[in-house]
Amino acid sequence: DQQVKQNSPSLSVQEGRISILNCDYTNSMFDYFLWYKKYPAEGPTFLISISSIKDKNEDGRFTVFLNKSAKHLSLHIVPSQPGDSAVYFCAAKGNMDSNYQLIWGAGTKLIIKP
Amino acid sequence: DTAVSQTPKYLVTQMGNDKSIKCEQNLGHDTMYWYKQDSKKFLKIMFSYNNKELIINETVPNRFSPKSPDKAHLNLHINSLELGDSAVYFCASSQARTGRKEKLFFGSGTQLSVL
């Protein structure tokens, strides 16, 4: 039962252009969303997050948008740089139990072309 | 200085063997985790320890036994390895036990291959 879905396994974007990574979720109890970035042979590292009380959060070149009614969030990277080539994981939390466990998507591999 | 370090990075072993993966964090965090990244690339939590106390134990075969000698270490011991145990195992830590805004810090992973 996939509660967090990243339907694009990979995405190729020209350097300097905008990269848009999408994530859908099914559980309306999720109230906090995170994006992690992963390079090969490394563990995921935290990138940016958003609370369900907001619809946008920005940090430098990275912006996350949340559409609660559509149960959809997206990560925008502008402008895309070669170092952004990585796998991006969307993850969600909600107070379904006391532990606020993270539920992860399968990731989207972003390739930035020079 | 690596914040969360796990060893070994690669582990190739035969079915039926027993193996351990070690994890240490130098961030002073109270909570540590083991995650498994399966063949479909999903990250699934296996265990979580807070200050040496087990707080999350997902549906994992009891061949997997975590051990936390102190809050900076969380090792994973696997008995009677099976082919289906082949995966990448990630150790992680966070400052506090729960909470919506807790960020996880991951180790670089251990690629386990069971032959």
Side-chain angles (χ1 to χ4, degrees):
Chain A
D1 178 24
Q2 265 179 267
Q3 297 187 67
V4 177
K5 300 177 190 178
Q6 293 177 257
N7 291 320
S8 299
S10 66
L11 175 68
S12 189
V13 174
Q14 202 73 35
E15 182 179 357
R17 307 292 278 268
I18 182 170
S19 295
I20 300 176
L21 297 106
N22 293 306
C23 178
D24 297 294
Y25 62 96
T26 57
N27 195 328
S28 56
M29 297 291 286
F30 289 144
D31 61 3
Y32 198 72
F33 305 88
L34 305 94
W35 285 93
Y36 280 77
K37 176 179 177 179
K38 183 185 179 305
Y39 292 118
E42 293 184 14
T45 55
F46 172 77
L47 187 59
I48 192 169
S49 62
I50 189 166
S51 165
S52 60
I53 61 172
K54 294 186 174 182
D55 54 19
K56 177 182 172 181
N57 189 26
E58 195 170 348
D59 183 3
R61 296 185 299 113
F62 301 90
T63 303
V64 56
F65 294 92
L66 175 62
N67 182 334
K68 284 192 300 272
S69 59
K71 294 194 180 69
H72 176 84
L73 62 154
S74 59
L75 174 68
H76 293 211
I77 307 174
V78 184
S80 300
Q81 297 174 355
D84 297 330
S85 295
V87 176
Y88 290 79
F89 289 97
C90 172
K93 286 187 185 184
N95 194 13
M96 288 86 72
D97 56 37
S98 61
N99 287 315
Y100 278 108
Q101 289 188 46
L102 267 179
I103 307 297
W104 297 78
T108 296
K109 184 176 183 179
L110 177 64
I111 301 162
I112 305 301
K113 298 180 292 186
Chain B
D1 272 352
T2 306
V4 182
S5 59
Q6 55 182 107
T7 55
K9 194 165 181 66
Y10 300 97
L11 185 52
V12 182
T13 188
Q14 300 285 333
M15 256 189 350
N17 284 350
D18 303 338
K19 290 292 178 187
S20 292
I21 308 172
K22 294 185 177 181
C23 180
E24 175 182 3
Q25 54 94 5
N26 62 9
L27 298 166
H29 287 169
D30 285 339
T31 308
M32 296 185 72
Y33 310 79
W34 277 109
Y35 275 86
K36 178 180 180 180
Q37 187 177 29
D38 62 23
S39 57
K40 295 183 179 177
K41 305 301 181 188
F42 287 101
L43 278 160
K44 293 184 179 173
I45 191 164
M46 301 172 69
F47 302 102
S48 175
Y49 269 71
N50 182 69
N51 249 323
K52 302 193 296 175
E53 177 192 349
L54 180 67
I55 56 171
I56 295 175
N57 184 356
E58 288 299 296
T59 308
V60 174
N62 57 15
R63 298 182 293 104
F64 290 78
S65 51
K67 285 188 172 46
S68 182
D70 55 61
K71 75 172 194 176
H73 295 84
L74 181 61
N75 303 322
L76 183 65
H77 189 77
I78 316 169
N79 287 328
S80 304
L81 277 155
E82 300 178 357
L83 293 175
D85 298 331
S86 296
V88 182
Y89 292 84
F90 287 99
C91 176
S93 72
S94 66
Q95 187 150 11
R97 171 180 172 167
T98 59
R100 294 160 69 246
K101 297 190 177 180
E102 278 307 312
K103 295 174 201 161
L104 295 177
F105 293 77
F106 283 86
S108 58
T110 296
Q111 173 123 30
L112 172 64
S113 299
V114 182
L115 307 177

